[in-house]
Amino acid sequence: MGTSYSGSSSEVNTLNAFIKLMRASESINMRLNRHLSDVNLTVSQFGTLEVLHHLGPLNQRSIGEKLLKSGGNITMVIDNLEKQGYVVRKKDPSDRRAVLIHLTKKGETFIGKFFPKHLDRIKEEFSVLSEEEKKTLADICKKLGLKN
Amino acid sequence: MGTSYSGSSSEVNTLNAFIKLMRASESINMRLNRHLSDVNLTVSQFGTLEVLHHLGPLNQRSIGEKLLKSGGNITMVIDNLEKQGYVVRKKDPSDRRAVLIHLTKKGETFIGKFFPKHLDRIKEEFSVLSEEEKKTLADICKKLGLKN
DNA sequence: AGAATACAATTAAATGTTAAATTAACATAA
DNA sequence: TTATGTTAATTTAACATTTAATTGTATTCT
């Protein structure tokens, strides 16, 4: 455990699982995110490009929901993606309150190339696990994530 | 999977494991962090109090290493903890470049009460898993985290 | 229709975060 | 001792993030 904490064996199991889970996700994220800064993208910017790539044009509210970010933040993320020429804001004809965010040609080309590389890096990260272990990990994590 | 991506069964296993792992850690973190904002503490502030509680006075560099945060950031974290009266800066007699961060009485009392509650919340989160599953999760995550 | 309510996006203020530059102090080697 | 290099902390600038307030538009209810 690293600390001097000592509890029942169940407590030890729990804390150990917690620490290892957090460390694994943190270190994988950190390694993946390094490649994002190489192309001058923040995590939120990448997430936005990815979700637009897979789902097509969305309004900012929807993007915020998918990325678990606040509306105020999405405004700035889109501002910065727009400055880089990756997306454009277009008025939603069916709801004049809303703005639909579209990938530009440049944005589509970029994410179309970058995303497969991202997937390869994820595969590389998980190459230390057997197929059986991947399934088990998914099952266990699913239980943890559900617990509202 | 939720997306239209289709690949080999190994690819599907990998991406599913990745997504579930990230979702589990994010949602657990989010639920735990809610309780931090209840007591007006950021994650870094809590991490600092926790590490001081368990390891005793440390200089800022050490704290930054444990928390994986930059030096500039630690300066501000300590500033804000100091404002709230939880810690004090004391000159390190053996190295005049360094400052040792000490918990105050107030800080010690606070973290001494808060930390056990935090542990309880973690136990609660993991109560959906059997002891066997916790061990398995820890083992698998350990492999993922190691892969520098 | 008119009033009240809800919603999308923006803005502003407060805080967190990092990276880079700066300052002060330590360590080492000639 | 002096020069060189390293380390600890701070400061600054740029950006991220959240919350709350604001504006404009939709929706709902009577």
Side-chain angles (χ1 to χ4, degrees):
Chain A
M1 191 78 54
T3 80
S4 57
Y5 181 81
S6 90
S8 73
S9 106
S10 165
E11 277 174 339
V12 172
N13 283 344
T14 301
L15 292 185
N16 198 235
F18 173 69
I19 291 169
K20 295 292 192 300
L21 173 71
M22 293 307 161
R23 259 187 216 154
S25 59
E26 271 167 28
S27 52
I28 289 176
N29 262 328
M30 190 161 294
R31 291 190 293 260
L32 292 175
N33 295 168
R34 265 184 225 143
H35 297 279
L36 294 185
S37 29
D38 287 350
V39 291
N40 277 309
L41 239 43
T42 66
V43 174
S44 291
Q45 288 173 349
F46 171 67
T48 300
L49 293 182
E50 186 189 351
V51 76
L52 293 175
H53 181 56
H54 285 109
L55 302 182
L58 293 173
N59 64 29
Q60 298 189 180
R61 201 194 105 273
S62 307
I63 295 173
E65 275 171 9
K66 311 268 179 209
L67 270 47
L68 304 177
K69 292 288 144 68
S70 68
N73 184 28
I74 296 298
T75 294
M76 164 162 280
V77 171
I78 300 298
D79 282 351
N80 288 327
L81 284 174
E82 209 170 22
K83 277 182 206 158
Q84 299 189 250
Y86 286 141
V87 303
V88 284
R89 286 176 161 95
K90 293 186 183 175
K91 286 175 189 163
D92 183 340
S94 67
D95 185 341
R96 281 185 302 166
R97 290 171 303 179
V99 176
L100 285 177
I101 311 301
H102 294 252
L103 283 176
T104 59
K105 201 93 179 173
K106 178 181 174 187
E108 185 59 53
T109 301
F110 171 79
I111 193 68
K113 280 186 191 166
F114 190 84
F115 189 67
K117 289 188 213 160
H118 188 72
L119 289 188
D120 287 343
R121 288 185 203 109
I122 293 172
K123 285 184 216 162
E124 169 65 20
E125 290 287 337
F126 281 76
S127 63
V128 294
L129 301 185
S130 69
E131 296 308 309
E132 203 48 42
E133 284 172 322
K134 290 177 201 169
K135 284 185 199 166
T136 305
L137 177 63
D139 287 345
I140 295 178
C141 286
K142 191 173 178 181
K143 291 188 191 180
L144 286 172
L146 283 179
K147 195 185 171 310
N148 177 356
Chain B
M1 191 77 56
T3 80
S4 58
Y5 181 82
S6 90
S8 73
S9 105
S10 164
E11 278 174 339
V12 172
N13 282 344
T14 301
L15 291 185
N16 198 236
F18 173 70
I19 290 170
K20 296 291 192 300
L21 173 71
M22 292 306 161
R23 259 189 215 152
S25 60
E26 272 167 28
S27 53
I28 290 175
N29 263 329
M30 191 162 292
R31 293 191 291 262
L32 291 175
N33 294 168
R34 264 184 226 141
H35 297 279
L36 294 185
S37 29
D38 286 350
V39 291
N40 277 312
L41 238 43
T42 66
V43 174
S44 292
Q45 287 172 349
F46 171 67
T48 300
L49 293 182
E50 186 190 351
V51 75
L52 293 174
H53 181 56
H54 286 109
L55 302 182
L58 292 175
N59 64 29
Q60 298 189 180
R61 202 194 104 274
S62 307
I63 295 173
E65 275 170 11
K66 312 267 180 212
L67 271 48
L68 303 178
K69 290 286 143 67
S70 69
N73 184 29
I74 296 298
T75 295
M76 163 162 281
V77 171
I78 300 299
D79 282 351
N80 288 328
L81 284 174
E82 208 169 23
K83 277 182 206 155
Q84 298 188 250
Y86 286 143
V87 303
V88 283
R89 286 176 162 94
K90 293 186 184 176
K91 286 176 190 163
D92 183 340
S94 68
D95 184 343
R96 282 185 299 164
R97 291 170 304 179
V99 176
L100 284 177
I101 312 302
H102 294 251
L103 282 174
T104 60
K105 200 95 179 173
K106 177 180 176 189
E108 185 59 52
T109 302
F110 171 79
I111 193 67
K113 280 185 191 163
F114 190 83
F115 189 68
K117 289 188 212 158
H118 188 72
L119 289 187
D120 286 343
R121 288 185 203 110
I122 293 172
K123 286 185 215 161
E124 169 67 19
E125 290 287 338
F126 280 77
S127 64
V128 294
L129 301 184
S130 69
E131 295 308 309
E132 202 50 40
E133 285 172 321
K134 290 178 202 169
K135 282 184 199 166
T136 304
L137 177 63
D139 286 345
I140 295 178
C141 286
K142 190 171 178 185
K143 290 188 191 180
L144 285 172
L146 283 180
K147 197 189 170 311
N148 174 352

